[in-house]
Amino acid sequence: MKSKRIAAILLSGALSISMLAGCGNDAEKESSGQEQSGSGEETSQQSEEPSESTEESEGAGESEESQESQEAPADADPMERITQGRYFYGYNAGGDLDMSYFFHFYEEQPVLGKVFYAGFAINQIYFHGTYEVTEEPYEYACWPSREERASAAEDAEAPAGTAPYTITFYDFDGNELDKCGFDGENVYNDMVNITGVGGEDAIYRYDDPEGENKDVYDGEVGYAVVDIEGVDDATCQLRLWHTGRYQDLVDMEIEGTWTMEQGADATTYTLTPDDDTDTGAVVVVNNDGTAVYTPDGGDAVEMKQAGASVTSSFAGDGPEVSGAVTSVVLEMYSDGTAKVNISAFGTVMPLDEGTWEAENEYTFKFSLGTAGELTSELGEEGLPTVHYVQAGSQVGDLDVVLTYVMPEAE
């Protein structure tokens, strides 16, 4: 179970890799105030029905009657129902601590495709990417209830079943991440790469997004599908979240909703503010990464992808996780900032950040929030090295030697 937890943490927050020209980094967060939803209903379940009552309530306080009220007609279409609500699993961990886990599947959109969000452990572990549903049977192994899981022997396997549909999950670059079962009313999450501590090998039930768990769903962490800043003024910023919300800091702070239209050479976004007294705008993001922001009745502003560029880096092998060798990278940015990331399964997770400066051509000094003050030394290969140590990181204790990466010839 520990290897599954580590794999999940490594993937969390790192599936959101930019696929749009002008997209920002995956560390940006925003709690969605407005959700995009479609319509659909359920089919009758073809597998073991999960228990509705447990010692630790799986509905995080939701009653059996309220769950039954959300059931769909027997002739409903699972392909449509999947975008209508949320798929929720939860339990009380003691006292006032209700643990929540859910999937949000969006309708297909231009450029983005079919986007999913998975928020685990009260949105502390989260995933973004795309998904596809196919009418292919999926053999799953999930516990019908938390009570049954707790009462089973330590080495007991979760009960097996077959769901009529398969959900395949991808990152935004199209790389397959994992699969799970689906029947319209339930998501059977026995995945290794998309899971969260306490929510693994569990059945996630359909839930009304406006019901008792609305506050959990409103805490969905946004992924910036567009993250741009002014060419002449980096404080002029614009972020468009996957939830359909945006934050406009080009002139004054404005929030609202956006729509998009895809063209051959560019994608056009129309921004509509929440407040009628605020100014809307049209943003054209070209395929080459450049962009133009034009406020209603105002002058156009040239914009570019946000963030400083990486000037150089140090890299080394990290610990092995679920059979995969991880990579630890210390990146040095053009604005004097530094970040330490660990990558595995084709995804990246932040570990540390701070600043850097060069004493000479071979010596670099770092001031990092967790690892503290570090200075590079000349290694056996004639390249600078950094001894990076971090106790109690998300993947355990780290003690690695990072070697300077020579820039590639242009």
PDB file of all heavy atoms in Angstrom, residues 60-75:
ATOM      1  N   ALA A  60     -19.562  10.610   4.024  1.00  0.00           N
ATOM      2  CA  ALA A  60     -19.130  11.749   4.843  1.00  0.00           C
ATOM      3  C   ALA A  60     -20.331  12.463   5.439  1.00  0.00           C
ATOM      4  O   ALA A  60     -20.477  13.672   5.369  1.00  0.00           O
ATOM      5  CB  ALA A  60     -18.292  12.714   4.018  1.00  0.00           C
ATOM      6  N   GLY A  61     -21.255  11.638   5.999  1.00  0.00           N
ATOM      7  CA  GLY A  61     -22.413  12.234   6.649  1.00  0.00           C
ATOM      8  C   GLY A  61     -23.655  12.190   5.785  1.00  0.00           C
ATOM      9  O   GLY A  61     -24.745  12.498   6.227  1.00  0.00           O
ATOM     10  N   GLU A  62     -23.539  11.754   4.528  1.00  0.00           N
ATOM     11  CA  GLU A  62     -24.678  11.720   3.630  1.00  0.00           C
ATOM     12  C   GLU A  62     -25.581  10.545   3.981  1.00  0.00           C
ATOM     13  O   GLU A  62     -25.125   9.432   4.194  1.00  0.00           O
ATOM     14  CB  GLU A  62     -24.169  11.587   2.195  1.00  0.00           C
ATOM     15  CG  GLU A  62     -25.268  11.658   1.158  1.00  0.00           C
ATOM     16  CD  GLU A  62     -24.678  11.555  -0.229  1.00  0.00           C
ATOM     17  OE1 GLU A  62     -24.317  10.453  -0.647  1.00  0.00           O
ATOM     18  OE2 GLU A  62     -24.566  12.591  -0.876  1.00  0.00           O
ATOM     19  N   SER A  63     -26.894  10.751   4.032  1.00  0.00           N
ATOM     20  CA  SER A  63     -27.819   9.702   4.428  1.00  0.00           C
ATOM     21  C   SER A  63     -28.085   8.757   3.283  1.00  0.00           C
ATOM     22  O   SER A  63     -27.914   9.067   2.113  1.00  0.00           O
ATOM     23  CB  SER A  63     -29.143  10.321   4.877  1.00  0.00           C
ATOM     24  OG  SER A  63     -29.802  10.918   3.776  1.00  0.00           O
ATOM     25  N   GLU A  64     -28.560   7.526   3.658  1.00  0.00           N
ATOM     26  CA  GLU A  64     -28.899   6.528   2.649  1.00  0.00           C
ATOM     27  C   GLU A  64     -30.033   7.039   1.781  1.00  0.00           C
ATOM     28  O   GLU A  64     -30.052   6.825   0.575  1.00  0.00           O
ATOM     29  CB  GLU A  64     -29.291   5.239   3.368  1.00  0.00           C
ATOM     30  CG  GLU A  64     -29.487   4.051   2.430  1.00  0.00           C
ATOM     31  CD  GLU A  64     -29.669   2.772   3.218  1.00  0.00           C
ATOM     32  OE1 GLU A  64     -28.936   2.574   4.209  1.00  0.00           O
ATOM     33  OE2 GLU A  64     -30.554   1.986   2.848  1.00  0.00           O
ATOM     34  N   GLU A  65     -31.006   7.754   2.397  1.00  0.00           N
ATOM     35  CA  GLU A  65     -32.136   8.263   1.615  1.00  0.00           C
ATOM     36  C   GLU A  65     -31.683   9.266   0.576  1.00  0.00           C
ATOM     37  O   GLU A  65     -32.171   9.269  -0.555  1.00  0.00           O
ATOM     38  CB  GLU A  65     -33.151   8.924   2.561  1.00  0.00           C
ATOM     39  CG  GLU A  65     -33.915   7.946   3.461  1.00  0.00           C
ATOM     40  CD  GLU A  65     -33.039   7.457   4.614  1.00  0.00           C
ATOM     41  OE1 GLU A  65     -32.009   8.102   4.893  1.00  0.00           O
ATOM     42  OE2 GLU A  65     -33.378   6.433   5.224  1.00  0.00           O
ATOM     43  N   SER A  66     -30.712  10.154   0.914  1.00  0.00           N
ATOM     44  CA  SER A  66     -30.278  11.171  -0.038  1.00  0.00           C
ATOM     45  C   SER A  66     -29.529  10.547  -1.185  1.00  0.00           C
ATOM     46  O   SER A  66     -29.572  11.032  -2.307  1.00  0.00           O
ATOM     47  CB  SER A  66     -29.396  12.209   0.663  1.00  0.00           C
ATOM     48  OG  SER A  66     -28.180  11.634   1.096  1.00  0.00           O
ATOM     49  N   GLN A  67     -28.809   9.424  -0.916  1.00  0.00           N
ATOM     50  CA  GLN A  67     -28.119   8.741  -2.003  1.00  0.00           C
ATOM     51  C   GLN A  67     -29.125   8.135  -2.968  1.00  0.00           C
ATOM     52  O   GLN A  67     -28.968   8.204  -4.179  1.00  0.00           O
ATOM     53  CB  GLN A  67     -27.217   7.649  -1.438  1.00  0.00           C
ATOM     54  CG  GLN A  67     -25.987   8.201  -0.734  1.00  0.00           C
ATOM     55  CD  GLN A  67     -25.103   7.083  -0.198  1.00  0.00           C
ATOM     56  OE1 GLN A  67     -25.535   5.953  -0.067  1.00  0.00           O
ATOM     57  NE2 GLN A  67     -23.882   7.415   0.107  1.00  0.00           N
ATOM     58  N   GLU A  68     -30.212   7.511  -2.408  1.00  0.00           N
ATOM     59  CA  GLU A  68     -31.201   6.890  -3.260  1.00  0.00           C
ATOM     60  C   GLU A  68     -31.909   7.919  -4.124  1.00  0.00           C
ATOM     61  O   GLU A  68     -32.282   7.644  -5.264  1.00  0.00           O
ATOM     62  CB  GLU A  68     -32.214   6.141  -2.396  1.00  0.00           C
ATOM     63  CG  GLU A  68     -31.616   4.891  -1.723  1.00  0.00           C
ATOM     64  CD  GLU A  68     -32.606   4.220  -0.799  1.00  0.00           C
ATOM     65  OE1 GLU A  68     -33.679   4.828  -0.573  1.00  0.00           O
ATOM     66  OE2 GLU A  68     -32.315   3.121  -0.306  1.00  0.00           O
ATOM     67  N   SER A  69     -32.072   9.136  -3.650  1.00  0.00           N
ATOM     68  CA  SER A  69     -32.781  10.159  -4.396  1.00  0.00           C
ATOM     69  C   SER A  69     -32.010  10.612  -5.623  1.00  0.00           C
ATOM     70  O   SER A  69     -32.567  11.246  -6.505  1.00  0.00           O
ATOM     71  CB  SER A  69     -33.061  11.365  -3.496  1.00  0.00           C
ATOM     72  OG  SER A  69     -31.843  12.025  -3.175  1.00  0.00           O
ATOM     73  N   GLN A  70     -30.730  10.270  -5.688  1.00  0.00           N
ATOM     74  CA  GLN A  70     -29.910  10.704  -6.805  1.00  0.00           C
ATOM     75  C   GLN A  70     -29.846   9.656  -7.915  1.00  0.00           C
ATOM     76  O   GLN A  70     -29.180   9.836  -8.915  1.00  0.00           O
ATOM     77  CB  GLN A  70     -28.497  11.018  -6.307  1.00  0.00           C
ATOM     78  CG  GLN A  70     -28.462  12.177  -5.344  1.00  0.00           C
ATOM     79  CD  GLN A  70     -27.179  12.210  -4.556  1.00  0.00           C
ATOM     80  OE1 GLN A  70     -26.201  11.571  -4.910  1.00  0.00           O
ATOM     81  NE2 GLN A  70     -27.174  12.953  -3.465  1.00  0.00           N
ATOM     82  N   GLU A  71     -30.506   8.502  -7.711  1.00  0.00           N
ATOM     83  CA  GLU A  71     -30.445   7.457  -8.699  1.00  0.00           C
ATOM     84  C   GLU A  71     -31.183   7.874  -9.967  1.00  0.00           C
ATOM     85  O   GLU A  71     -32.167   8.590  -9.946  1.00  0.00           O
ATOM     86  CB  GLU A  71     -31.036   6.166  -8.144  1.00  0.00           C
ATOM     87  CG  GLU A  71     -30.196   5.579  -6.997  1.00  0.00           C
ATOM     88  CD  GLU A  71     -30.769   4.287  -6.477  1.00  0.00           C
ATOM     89  OE1 GLU A  71     -31.821   3.879  -7.006  1.00  0.00           O
ATOM     90  OE2 GLU A  71     -30.177   3.698  -5.566  1.00  0.00           O
ATOM     91  N   ALA A  72     -30.686   7.368 -11.108  1.00  0.00           N
ATOM     92  CA  ALA A  72     -31.257   7.735 -12.399  1.00  0.00           C
ATOM     93  C   ALA A  72     -32.195   6.641 -12.902  1.00  0.00           C
ATOM     94  O   ALA A  72     -32.178   5.526 -12.403  1.00  0.00           O
ATOM     95  CB  ALA A  72     -30.134   7.961 -13.408  1.00  0.00           C
ATOM     96  N   PRO A  73     -33.020   6.946 -13.925  1.00  0.00           N
ATOM     97  CA  PRO A  73     -33.877   5.922 -14.515  1.00  0.00           C
ATOM     98  C   PRO A  73     -33.047   4.765 -15.066  1.00  0.00           C
ATOM     99  O   PRO A  73     -31.884   4.924 -15.411  1.00  0.00           O
ATOM    100  CB  PRO A  73     -34.594   6.686 -15.641  1.00  0.00           C
ATOM    101  CG  PRO A  73     -34.521   8.119 -15.235  1.00  0.00           C
ATOM    102  CD  PRO A  73     -33.231   8.268 -14.502  1.00  0.00           C
ATOM    103  N   ALA A  74     -33.671   3.589 -15.141  1.00  0.00           N
ATOM    104  CA  ALA A  74     -32.953   2.385 -15.553  1.00  0.00           C
ATOM    105  C   ALA A  74     -32.467   2.460 -16.993  1.00  0.00           C
ATOM    106  O   ALA A  74     -31.545   1.745 -17.371  1.00  0.00           O
ATOM    107  CB  ALA A  74     -33.840   1.164 -15.364  1.00  0.00           C
ATOM    108  N   ASP A  75     -33.097   3.291 -17.824  1.00  0.00           N
ATOM    109  CA  ASP A  75     -32.707   3.358 -19.230  1.00  0.00           C
ATOM    110  C   ASP A  75     -31.758   4.516 -19.513  1.00  0.00           C
ATOM    111  O   ASP A  75     -31.594   4.941 -20.644  1.00  0.00           O
ATOM    112  CB  ASP A  75     -33.947   3.492 -20.123  1.00  0.00           C
ATOM    113  CG  ASP A  75     -34.749   4.750 -19.795  1.00  0.00           C
ATOM    114  OD1 ASP A  75     -34.439   5.401 -18.775  1.00  0.00           O
ATOM    115  OD2 ASP A  75     -35.676   5.066 -20.574  1.00  0.00           O
TER     116      ASP A  75
END
